Amino acid sequence: MYSLNVHLLLSVFVLVNLCDGCAGRFSIFLKQNWECKPLSIGGETTNPSAMDLDMRIERVGRGEFFFSGTFFWNIDLDDSVLVEMQILRSHSGSEADYKLTPWSIPQQTFIEYIDTFYKDLLMANLGDCTDLPRYDSGYVPPWPKGTFNFTRCGIKGDGLPEVLVEGFYKVQAIITALPTVQQNITAIIQVTLKMF
Ligand SMILES: *[C@@H]1O[C@H](CO)[C@@H](O)[C@H](O)[C@H]1NC(C)=O
Ligand SMILES: *[C@@H]1O[C@H](CO)[C@@H](O)[C@H](O)[C@H]1NC(C)=O
């Protein structure tokens, strides 16, 4: 169940987080038919004293994009903390056109997520740009409270799909710890086909 979606999710995650590979140096080595540009990343929280995201896209040079910012986490992590992820696509970019794609992580506990997607793909690819906790041999409580930093995060670039449909992709993660907080994280990436 997990492994089925992971490849695609990683691909989109890589799109969100790097995108310098899309138009820049990686295109020389990979055979994708597309390039991409991150348009926005942000978060909405129902309770900024419990959880908050402050993230921005940084453009470096002519076409390299990175993410920098902070993620504040101030709740106890137990089985009541849930996470889910959806990927939507819009051909025109207009809000009304966004349709769900089959690439999603169904709602699961955040602890399950740490031992799967987070450990194997997210942290493995983010590497040293963040001080988010690492659990390379599996989750060991507690998850720390605090402000986690992201400094020019990129991705090593494995797992990108070769073929994508042109359009605007919206990646939306929702972390839910009711009744305390719900945190949404949304990124929008524009994918265009390469001109040869
Ligand atoms: C998060 O997204 C869900 C689903 O789109 C929405 O129902 C909810 O209101 C959003 N929450 C916040 C805090 O924006
Ligand atoms: C993030 O950076 C701030 C300011 O430098 C620091 O106080 C904090 O400890 C960092 N967070 C982590 C998890 O290291």
Side-chain angles (χ1 to χ4, degrees), residues 48-63:
S49 64
M51 206 176 281
D52 207 0
L53 180 89
D54 178 11
M55 220 43 105
R56 65 192 173 278
I57 294 165
E58 276 188 78
R59 184 179 172 148
V60 178
R62 294 190 60 186

PDB file of all heavy atoms in Angstrom, residues 48-63:
ATOM      1  N   PRO A  48      -1.450  29.149  15.582  1.00  0.00           N
ATOM      2  CA  PRO A  48      -0.010  29.369  15.392  1.00  0.00           C
ATOM      3  C   PRO A  48       0.818  29.136  16.652  1.00  0.00           C
ATOM      4  O   PRO A  48       2.041  28.967  16.544  1.00  0.00           O
ATOM      5  CB  PRO A  48       0.092  30.836  14.941  1.00  0.00           C
ATOM      6  CG  PRO A  48      -1.252  31.410  15.030  1.00  0.00           C
ATOM      7  CD  PRO A  48      -2.255  30.341  15.283  1.00  0.00           C
ATOM      8  N   SER A  49       0.217  29.078  17.813  1.00  0.00           N
ATOM      9  CA  SER A  49       1.014  28.770  18.996  1.00  0.00           C
ATOM     10  C   SER A  49       1.221  27.266  19.150  1.00  0.00           C
ATOM     11  O   SER A  49       2.024  26.824  19.978  1.00  0.00           O
ATOM     12  CB  SER A  49       0.388  29.377  20.251  1.00  0.00           C
ATOM     13  OG  SER A  49      -0.854  28.781  20.484  1.00  0.00           O
ATOM     14  N   ALA A  50       0.530  26.464  18.328  1.00  0.00           N
ATOM     15  CA  ALA A  50       0.722  25.009  18.351  1.00  0.00           C
ATOM     16  C   ALA A  50       1.576  24.531  17.175  1.00  0.00           C
ATOM     17  O   ALA A  50       2.384  23.613  17.317  1.00  0.00           O
ATOM     18  CB  ALA A  50      -0.633  24.301  18.322  1.00  0.00           C
ATOM     19  N   MET A  51       1.366  25.139  15.995  1.00  0.00           N
ATOM     20  CA  MET A  51       2.091  24.716  14.801  1.00  0.00           C
ATOM     21  C   MET A  51       2.035  25.851  13.787  1.00  0.00           C
ATOM     22  O   MET A  51       0.998  26.501  13.647  1.00  0.00           O
ATOM     23  CB  MET A  51       1.418  23.462  14.209  1.00  0.00           C
ATOM     24  CG  MET A  51       2.341  22.586  13.409  1.00  0.00           C
ATOM     25  SD  MET A  51       1.526  21.075  12.837  1.00  0.00           S
ATOM     26  CE  MET A  51       1.559  20.052  14.300  1.00  0.00           C
ATOM     27  N   ASP A  52       3.142  26.088  13.102  1.00  0.00           N
ATOM     28  CA  ASP A  52       3.143  27.189  12.140  1.00  0.00           C
ATOM     29  C   ASP A  52       4.253  26.971  11.115  1.00  0.00           C
ATOM     30  O   ASP A  52       5.306  26.438  11.462  1.00  0.00           O
ATOM     31  CB  ASP A  52       3.354  28.522  12.865  1.00  0.00           C
ATOM     32  CG  ASP A  52       2.739  29.691  12.109  1.00  0.00           C
ATOM     33  OD1 ASP A  52       2.149  29.479  11.030  1.00  0.00           O
ATOM     34  OD2 ASP A  52       2.842  30.822  12.599  1.00  0.00           O
ATOM     35  N   LEU A  53       3.984  27.374   9.887  1.00  0.00           N
ATOM     36  CA  LEU A  53       4.966  27.214   8.817  1.00  0.00           C
ATOM     37  C   LEU A  53       5.247  28.580   8.206  1.00  0.00           C
ATOM     38  O   LEU A  53       4.328  29.342   7.944  1.00  0.00           O
ATOM     39  CB  LEU A  53       4.392  26.291   7.740  1.00  0.00           C
ATOM     40  CG  LEU A  53       5.311  26.021   6.559  1.00  0.00           C
ATOM     41  CD1 LEU A  53       6.174  24.812   6.834  1.00  0.00           C
ATOM     42  CD2 LEU A  53       4.493  25.788   5.292  1.00  0.00           C
ATOM     43  N   ASP A  54       6.518  28.873   7.992  1.00  0.00           N
ATOM     44  CA  ASP A  54       6.885  30.138   7.364  1.00  0.00           C
ATOM     45  C   ASP A  54       7.956  29.807   6.330  1.00  0.00           C
ATOM     46  O   ASP A  54       9.113  29.614   6.661  1.00  0.00           O
ATOM     47  CB  ASP A  54       7.409  31.103   8.439  1.00  0.00           C
ATOM     48  CG  ASP A  54       7.847  32.425   7.824  1.00  0.00           C
ATOM     49  OD1 ASP A  54       7.552  32.656   6.638  1.00  0.00           O
ATOM     50  OD2 ASP A  54       8.500  33.215   8.528  1.00  0.00           O
ATOM     51  N   MET A  55       7.548  29.700   5.089  1.00  0.00           N
ATOM     52  CA  MET A  55       8.433  29.157   4.057  1.00  0.00           C
ATOM     53  C   MET A  55       8.397  30.067   2.841  1.00  0.00           C
ATOM     54  O   MET A  55       7.374  30.664   2.543  1.00  0.00           O
ATOM     55  CB  MET A  55       7.838  27.811   3.673  1.00  0.00           C
ATOM     56  CG  MET A  55       8.722  26.639   3.417  1.00  0.00           C
ATOM     57  SD  MET A  55      10.086  26.259   4.450  1.00  0.00           S
ATOM     58  CE  MET A  55       9.427  24.878   5.352  1.00  0.00           C
ATOM     59  N   ARG A  56       9.511  30.189   2.168  1.00  0.00           N
ATOM     60  CA  ARG A  56       9.520  30.987   0.938  1.00  0.00           C
ATOM     61  C   ARG A  56      10.417  30.319  -0.106  1.00  0.00           C
ATOM     62  O   ARG A  56      11.278  29.511   0.231  1.00  0.00           O
ATOM     63  CB  ARG A  56      10.007  32.402   1.227  1.00  0.00           C
ATOM     64  CG  ARG A  56      11.447  32.420   1.679  1.00  0.00           C
ATOM     65  CD  ARG A  56      11.889  33.748   2.243  1.00  0.00           C
ATOM     66  NE  ARG A  56      13.224  33.596   2.798  1.00  0.00           N
ATOM     67  CZ  ARG A  56      13.490  33.114   4.004  1.00  0.00           C
ATOM     68  NH1 ARG A  56      12.504  32.760   4.811  1.00  0.00           N
ATOM     69  NH2 ARG A  56      14.726  32.969   4.423  1.00  0.00           N
ATOM     70  N   ILE A  57      10.192  30.702  -1.338  1.00  0.00           N
ATOM     71  CA  ILE A  57      11.021  30.210  -2.431  1.00  0.00           C
ATOM     72  C   ILE A  57      12.142  31.207  -2.652  1.00  0.00           C
ATOM     73  O   ILE A  57      11.911  32.411  -2.640  1.00  0.00           O
ATOM     74  CB  ILE A  57      10.186  30.066  -3.717  1.00  0.00           C
ATOM     75  CG1 ILE A  57       9.143  28.975  -3.514  1.00  0.00           C
ATOM     76  CG2 ILE A  57      11.068  29.756  -4.912  1.00  0.00           C
ATOM     77  CD1 ILE A  57       8.061  28.984  -4.550  1.00  0.00           C
ATOM     78  N   GLU A  58      13.339  30.693  -2.820  1.00  0.00           N
ATOM     79  CA  GLU A  58      14.476  31.556  -3.113  1.00  0.00           C
ATOM     80  C   GLU A  58      14.989  31.207  -4.489  1.00  0.00           C
ATOM     81  O   GLU A  58      15.241  30.038  -4.784  1.00  0.00           O
ATOM     82  CB  GLU A  58      15.613  31.287  -2.125  1.00  0.00           C
ATOM     83  CG  GLU A  58      15.502  32.015  -0.828  1.00  0.00           C
ATOM     84  CD  GLU A  58      16.781  31.811  -0.028  1.00  0.00           C
ATOM     85  OE1 GLU A  58      17.790  32.472  -0.337  1.00  0.00           O
ATOM     86  OE2 GLU A  58      16.755  30.968   0.883  1.00  0.00           O
ATOM     87  N   ARG A  59      15.167  32.208  -5.294  1.00  0.00           N
ATOM     88  CA  ARG A  59      15.757  31.985  -6.607  1.00  0.00           C
ATOM     89  C   ARG A  59      17.215  32.372  -6.531  1.00  0.00           C
ATOM     90  O   ARG A  59      17.554  33.450  -6.058  1.00  0.00           O
ATOM     91  CB  ARG A  59      15.027  32.845  -7.636  1.00  0.00           C
ATOM     92  CG  ARG A  59      15.525  32.598  -9.015  1.00  0.00           C
ATOM     93  CD  ARG A  59      14.769  33.436 -10.015  1.00  0.00           C
ATOM     94  NE  ARG A  59      15.438  33.293 -11.293  1.00  0.00           N
ATOM     95  CZ  ARG A  59      14.816  33.338 -12.449  1.00  0.00           C
ATOM     96  NH1 ARG A  59      13.521  33.541 -12.496  1.00  0.00           N
ATOM     97  NH2 ARG A  59      15.478  33.198 -13.576  1.00  0.00           N
ATOM     98  N   VAL A  60      18.057  31.498  -7.010  1.00  0.00           N
ATOM     99  CA  VAL A  60      19.492  31.762  -6.968  1.00  0.00           C
ATOM    100  C   VAL A  60      19.999  31.711  -8.399  1.00  0.00           C
ATOM    101  O   VAL A  60      19.733  30.751  -9.126  1.00  0.00           O
ATOM    102  CB  VAL A  60      20.217  30.702  -6.112  1.00  0.00           C
ATOM    103  CG1 VAL A  60      21.723  30.957  -6.111  1.00  0.00           C
ATOM    104  CG2 VAL A  60      19.687  30.726  -4.682  1.00  0.00           C
ATOM    105  N   GLY A  61      20.675  32.736  -8.794  1.00  0.00           N
ATOM    106  CA  GLY A  61      21.197  32.770 -10.157  1.00  0.00           C
ATOM    107  C   GLY A  61      20.051  32.870 -11.152  1.00  0.00           C
ATOM    108  O   GLY A  61      19.007  33.456 -10.873  1.00  0.00           O
ATOM    109  N   ARG A  62      20.210  32.246 -12.296  1.00  0.00           N
ATOM    110  CA  ARG A  62      19.206  32.424 -13.347  1.00  0.00           C
ATOM    111  C   ARG A  62      18.040  31.469 -13.241  1.00  0.00           C
ATOM    112  O   ARG A  62      16.963  31.754 -13.734  1.00  0.00           O
ATOM    113  CB  ARG A  62      19.867  32.257 -14.717  1.00  0.00           C
ATOM    114  CG  ARG A  62      20.867  33.356 -14.995  1.00  0.00           C
ATOM    115  CD  ARG A  62      21.328  33.318 -16.412  1.00  0.00           C
ATOM    116  NE  ARG A  62      20.208  33.490 -17.362  1.00  0.00           N
ATOM    117  CZ  ARG A  62      20.340  33.385 -18.668  1.00  0.00           C
ATOM    118  NH1 ARG A  62      21.496  33.094 -19.187  1.00  0.00           N
ATOM    119  NH2 ARG A  62      19.302  33.550 -19.451  1.00  0.00           N
ATOM    120  N   GLY A  63      18.243  30.321 -12.644  1.00  0.00           N
ATOM    121  CA  GLY A  63      17.098  29.415 -12.661  1.00  0.00           C
ATOM    122  C   GLY A  63      17.150  28.335 -11.611  1.00  0.00           C
ATOM    123  O   GLY A  63      16.578  27.259 -11.798  1.00  0.00           O
TER     124      GLY A  63
END
